[in-house]
Amino acid sequence: MARWEPDAAGRLREAAMALYAERGYERTTVAEIADRAGVTARTFFRHFADKREVLFAGSEELERRMVEAVLAAPESAGPMDAVAAGVLASGEFFVDRREHSRRRQAVITATPELREREFIKMASLAAAFTDALRKRGVAPEIASLAAETGVAVFRVAFERWVADPQDADITDIMRATLADLSSLTA
Amino acid sequence: MARWEPDAAGRLREAAMALYAERGYERTTVAEIADRAGVTARTFFRHFADKREVLFAGSEELERRMVEAVLAAPESAGPMDAVAAGVLASGEFFVDRREHSRRRQAVITATPELREREFIKMASLAAAFTDALRKRGVAPEIASLAAETGVAVFRVAFERWVADPQDADITDIMRATLADLSSLTA
């Protein structure tokens, strides 16, 4: 008997995150996640392809927004400013997600399979930034350097944010990290 | 009957690279590599743990040299200059390896499993750079940013080098990439 589940996806995400923290990602099953969320496994699979997708479901959306911001940067913006616009565009995505992001990051750090998945995601983002910069007319070798550097800034800023004891705004941390990069390479 | 094999490792590397290019990495077996090199599978396993290690055997040595160069940079060197010393130290490792590197890169690009392994290697290098910078007294958040940026430069410069139609010196390409980074982030 199928019935409507108010915010089943949200409850599944909550349940998964709690179980991953309690017993580890590898030892958690889809059946247990569904059970904890009070839904059937079938409902789980209506929302997520597998237990890994609970953690990575938002990634494509995030990448899409970041790439759009690179493309939408003013024509006068240089390659690094366009990439910076892409990095800063992620800030909005993370609003009210700090606690979730922190728990998610802890699960990923503790699980080699998920760390690898995260590396692949970052490589995908770098490739997407490179494509976007080339569409803006940036030379290939400069495009990939700016893209890889932008991803480095994004990763470092994200880690600073989840670890920040003051709960600082992620966009402020990203701006500070971009400024640190300028000082470092001056 | 064990017997001494003059440069068996070198012949195995050559044979493996040829087979990976001909039929793809996944469809090549250790038995075929050994056969092509004119040695037994037992000899293969005296030199390499598995067929993947034929491609990645030099990685630890490379990382070790790069990290040593970061640690050996003059005390007066800032974080990015120390990382640049590490990146430039890889140049010597690649002398006379351009053709090998180019073929290796083609195999890795064509094989998702190997691409993932390469991402992990780069993450390991970034972590090792971060540790080395912290040993030099660099603040944690600056250390990881300089380290990740250095790895981005290394990756981009390496790709430029294997693709370069003029067969330019890898150290020159690395210096040019570091200069590009300064211009980009100025």
Side-chain angles (χ1 to χ4, degrees), chain A:
Chain A
M1 192 183 81
R3 57 193 185 82
W4 183 70
E5 300 285 355
D7 194 26
R11 278 190 290 139
L12 283 162
R13 227 184 321 261
E14 268 304 301
M17 215 61 86
L19 286 162
Y20 297 163
E22 283 167 29
R23 65 187 66 170
Y25 171 81
E26 276 103 342
R27 284 191 302 282
T28 299
T29 67
V30 164
E32 288 165 337
I33 298 169
D35 201 48
R36 175 79 63 106
V39 302
T40 62
R42 216 176 131 179
T43 298
F44 177 96
F45 289 116
R46 262 207 300 277
H47 294 281
F48 303 103
D50 53 40
K51 67 176 178 170
R52 199 174 68 175
E53 281 315 296
V54 182
L55 296 164
F56 290 95
S59 303
E60 287 94 40
E61 167 67 10
L62 175 62
E63 181 179 305
R64 198 185 54 69
R65 285 199 208 181
M66 293 173 82
V67 168
E68 266 174 17
V70 173
L71 291 169
E75 226 181 303
S76 60
M80 206 59 217
D81 285 336
V83 165
V87 170
L88 292 168
S90 70
E92 206 188 329
F93 182 86
F94 291 115
V95 167
D96 296 330
R97 294 204 197 193
R98 185 156 179 267
E99 202 41 46
H100 175 84
S101 297
R102 189 206 300 273
R103 288 159 76 197
R104 177 180 177 279
Q105 205 58 20
V107 174
I108 289 174
T109 303
T111 317
E113 175 195 335
L114 299 176
R115 279 209 304 274
E116 290 177 25
R117 170 80 181 172
E118 187 84 339
F119 296 149
I120 293 165
K121 236 186 58 187
M122 289 299 111
S124 158
L125 179 61
F129 273 171
T130 302
D131 283 351
L133 289 171
R134 294 192 64 175
K135 280 188 194 143
R136 292 177 61 90
V138 177
E141 69 278 13
I142 298 297
S144 62
L145 181 62
E148 295 275 356
T149 305
V151 171
V153 167
F154 173 69
R155 288 177 60 157
V156 171
F158 182 82
E159 275 165 29
R160 284 188 190 179
W161 176 62
V162 293
D164 189 69
Q166 319 285 307
D167 197 6
D169 183 79
I170 190 167
T171 309
D172 291 344
I173 293 178
M174 282 169 172
R175 282 188 204 285
T177 308
L178 285 160
D180 286 342
L181 177 69
S182 292
S183 314
L184 268 175
T185 58

Side-chain angles (χ1 to χ4, degrees), chain B residues 75-88:
Chain B
E75 226 180 304
S76 60
M80 206 59 217
D81 286 335
V83 164
V87 171
L88 292 168

Side-chain angles (χ1 to χ4, degrees), chain B residues 14 17-18 21 98-108:
Chain B
E14 268 304 302
M17 215 62 85
R98 185 155 178 267
E99 202 41 46
H100 174 84
S101 298
R102 189 205 301 271
R103 288 159 75 196
R104 178 180 176 279
Q105 206 57 24
V107 174
I108 289 175

Side-chain angles (χ1 to χ4, degrees), chain B residues 25 31 35 42 49 59 72 75 96 99 102 111 123 125 132 139 162 182:
Chain B
Y25 170 82
D35 201 47
R42 217 178 132 179
S59 302
E75 226 180 304
D96 295 331
E99 202 41 46
R102 189 205 301 271
T111 317
L125 180 61
V162 295
S182 292

